[in-house]
Each structure stands twice: as C-alpha cells, then as structure tokens.
Amino acid sequence: MPTSSASSTSRRLLSLLSLLQARRDWPGELLAERLQVSARTVRRDVDRLRDLGYPVRAIKGPDGGYRLDAGAHLPPLLFDDDQVVALAIALRGAPQLGAGIDDAAAQALTTISQVMPARLRARLDAFEPTIVGPTPREGDGPARAAVLLAIAAALNAREELRFDYASSGRTGGRDDPVPRSVQPHHLLARLGRWYLIAWAPARDDWRVYRVDRITPRTPNGPRFVPRRLPGGDPATFLAARFKGSDGTADRWPCRGEVIVHLPAAEVVPFARDGTVTALGDARCRVRLGAWSWSGLAASLARFDASIEVIGPSELRTAFADLARRAAAAADSGTDPLTDHR
C-alpha cells in the first residue's frame, strides 16, 4: 500500500484522474485494483477530485463505480505524452482550417508549452513544419468560430437556418447581403474554406454557401425532415459542384483526350486530376476535364507543344474557335515600335 504522504496522494489523484478520462465508466473495485489501494481510499480520492472541480458521479449497480461527467466549467485536464504532442501539432496547423481561431490556437499552444515536460518540448522544438495552404484571394476572410457553431447547432437541431448572405461582386466588392432561409445538411472544409451544403426550399434545389459570407439571424426557422444528398457523400458532392456537375458524380462536365508531343514527365506536374500515359520518349496521351470545351482547349494549349485531338468532336471545335480568337488577337492593335502616326 502506498504511503499517506502528500506527494503520494497527489500522484494517486493524478493516476485516478487519468483512469477516469480513459473510459466512460469504472467499477469501484477495478479502480482500487489498478491504483493498489482500498475501495475506501478510492472514495476519499473521488471526494478530493470533486473538491477540485471535477464532476465525478457515483454509478449505482451491482458493482458500483464512478464516471467523469461534463461540468459547468472546464477543470484542469490530464494528458499523456502522445496526447500532448498530438495537441501541439494540431494547434500549429489550426490556421489552415480557415476557422478564425488562429489567435486562440496560438495562446493554447503557448499555455501547453509552458507546462510541457522538457523532454516533450525538445521534441516539438525540433518539429517546425512549413504548412502551405491555399493562397487567400482578395476579399477572402476566415469563417468565424461563432458562425460555425451557430450553423452546427441548427444542423444538429434540424432547424432551418436564417441568415444574410453576402455574394461576391464582379468588381471585387460585396453586394448587399441577401436574406436566406435554408435547411442545413452538411458543414465541411475544403482547401482552407468552410462551406454549408443546404436544401433551399425557395429554389427547390441544393445550394452551397461559403461560411465566411454568412451572418446568422435569430431565431432559427422551423424544424425539418432531412433529405438525402445526391450521391450520398458530402465531400464528393462539393467537389462535383466545383466542377460544374449536379453533385451526383465528381467529374468535369467536359472531358477530352489528346496526344501531347512532350515527355510524360513534363506534363504530369500540370495535369491536375487528369491522367497521363507515356507513348514513348516524346509523346503522351492526356485525359483532362474542365468547366467548358473552350476552357479545356485553352488548358491543353498551355503545354506549348503540338497536340493531336483524339476526341470528342466538341474539343476539336473548341480548338478551332480558340485558334480564330488567337489569330484575331494577334492581328489587333499596332506595334509601338513601327507605328509612328
């Protein structure tokens, strides 16, 4: 049996707290066995934890036991080494979430670092990754944490979400916010931005909204019965919408196949989600997709090499139209070195 000194009691309390955090319910006898103390000592230690603000609840039953419940405030927590390292790494990557929690994450990381054992701090000091995220566009801003929580609350309660939505103007500004009322179904992040996938009753269709442009209104609207998202998978649906699809398939609406007179190794880095097949040292077959046929032709023309169109015919027509427009652009204007008028 351990001694009754203050230091051994403190160590035992920390061990007890760690066990209570590790699983939901603990039989009293099992706790006593793991801590190598009597059931009476376990009861006294549980009372000490309660005095420190930890909401430990007694469980009735044949064996009896204890459970660490959620309380009105957040008491001090106990983490093992792996959990501390995981928290620190996650906090360093928080700015890439686009959730507007950069300052809070930095403060939390500082707090953890101050109480971190020297052996763990040395490991983390050696881990200084350069995290590259999407380049912010003009007018972009992170989604506010309060807005994310408001959307999540409406989603979980299955209540219609009412909000003002600021659409991006063509001149780089924002239009006046437009009131919306939708049925929220999924909240997800993609490339540093947060998006809400919702059913819009006024439009009788699915819509995707950028969370950083949403200003929630209160109260929420009436409850609703969730619908099935086309395709079933939110990530696939969102990716498909970005490619101009209806959300049932993650593929571009315009897909073509060509032979590019370049080595495959020079084409692969720029093929995005296309496929490249080597056809010898200086040729490769490229299958690529885009929003439109003209956009696909322009994307393929950037390889600055001879191209043979395999199909479809719409891509050949798009190349012909691109050639006409390129020729017209080349003939327009005058050369400033030869024009002396």
Side-chain angles (χ1 to χ4, degrees), residues 113-134:
S113 299
Q114 288 175 345
V115 298
M116 188 181 298
R119 66 181 186 281
L120 295 183
R121 190 180 301 113
R123 290 172 60 188
L124 282 174
D125 288 344
F127 179 74
E128 290 292 344
T130 300
I131 303 175
V132 180

Side-chain angles (χ1 to χ4, degrees), residues 271-290:
R272 303 192 312 274
D273 56 351
T275 59
V276 180
T277 305
L279 298 176
D281 293 337
R283 294 195 314 154
C284 61
R285 179 184 289 108
V286 179
R287 297 182 178 91
L288 204 61

Side-chain angles (χ1 to χ4, degrees), residues 124-199:
L124 282 174
D125 288 344
F127 179 74
E128 290 292 344
T130 300
I131 303 175
V132 180
T135 303
R137 302 176 186 175
E138 184 179 357
D140 275 5
R144 289 171 292 166
V147 176
L148 290 170
L149 293 176
I151 294 174
L155 196 155
N156 291 331
R158 296 181 179 177
E159 295 176 345
E160 289 193 3
L161 182 69
R162 301 169 61 245
F163 58 90
D164 292 329
Y165 192 68
S167 300
S168 177
R170 293 182 176 274
T171 59
R174 296 274 179 99
D175 298 334
D176 291 336
V178 178
R180 305 287 174 89
S181 181
V182 302
Q183 298 173 358
H185 278 70
H186 299 282
L187 181 64
L188 63 164
R190 182 181 189 269
L191 299 178
R193 284 180 180 166
W194 286 84
Y195 297 90
L196 168 65
I197 300 176
W199 175 261

Side-chain angles (χ1 to χ4, degrees), residues 186 188 197 228-240 247-248 250:
H186 299 282
L188 63 164
I197 300 176
R228 185 180 183 278
L229 187 69
D233 179 58
T236 300
F237 178 89
L238 183 62
T248 57
D250 180 11

Side-chain angles (χ1 to χ4, degrees), residues 6-65:
S7 60
S8 63
T9 300
S10 298
R11 287 195 297 270
R12 194 175 63 248
L13 285 177
L14 290 175
S15 297
L16 175 59
L17 178 59
S18 179
L19 290 172
L20 289 172
Q21 290 178 170
R23 56 184 276 182
R24 181 170 177 80
D25 297 329
W26 276 96
E29 291 297 331
L30 182 56
L31 277 176
E33 180 182 340
R34 292 290 294 269
L35 296 172
Q36 296 183 339
V37 296
S38 66
R40 181 180 178 183
T41 299
V42 171
R43 288 194 296 271
R44 287 201 304 262
D45 287 347
V46 165
D47 288 337
R48 291 188 179 101
L49 288 179
R50 289 169 177 162
D51 292 339
L52 293 172
Y54 294 95
V56 183
R57 179 160 61 92
I59 303 173
K60 296 181 180 180
D63 298 327

Side-chain angles (χ1 to χ4, degrees), residues 70-119:
H73 64 280
L74 185 65
L77 301 177
L78 184 67
F79 300 102
D80 61 27
D81 289 2
D82 290 340
Q83 291 171 332
V84 170
V85 172
L87 276 172
I89 292 175
L91 289 170
R92 284 183 176 175
Q96 302 305 317
L97 294 176
I101 57 173
D102 299 16
D103 292 342
Q107 293 170 7
L109 182 58
T110 299
T111 301
I112 291 175
S113 299
Q114 288 175 345
V115 298
M116 188 181 298
R119 66 181 186 281

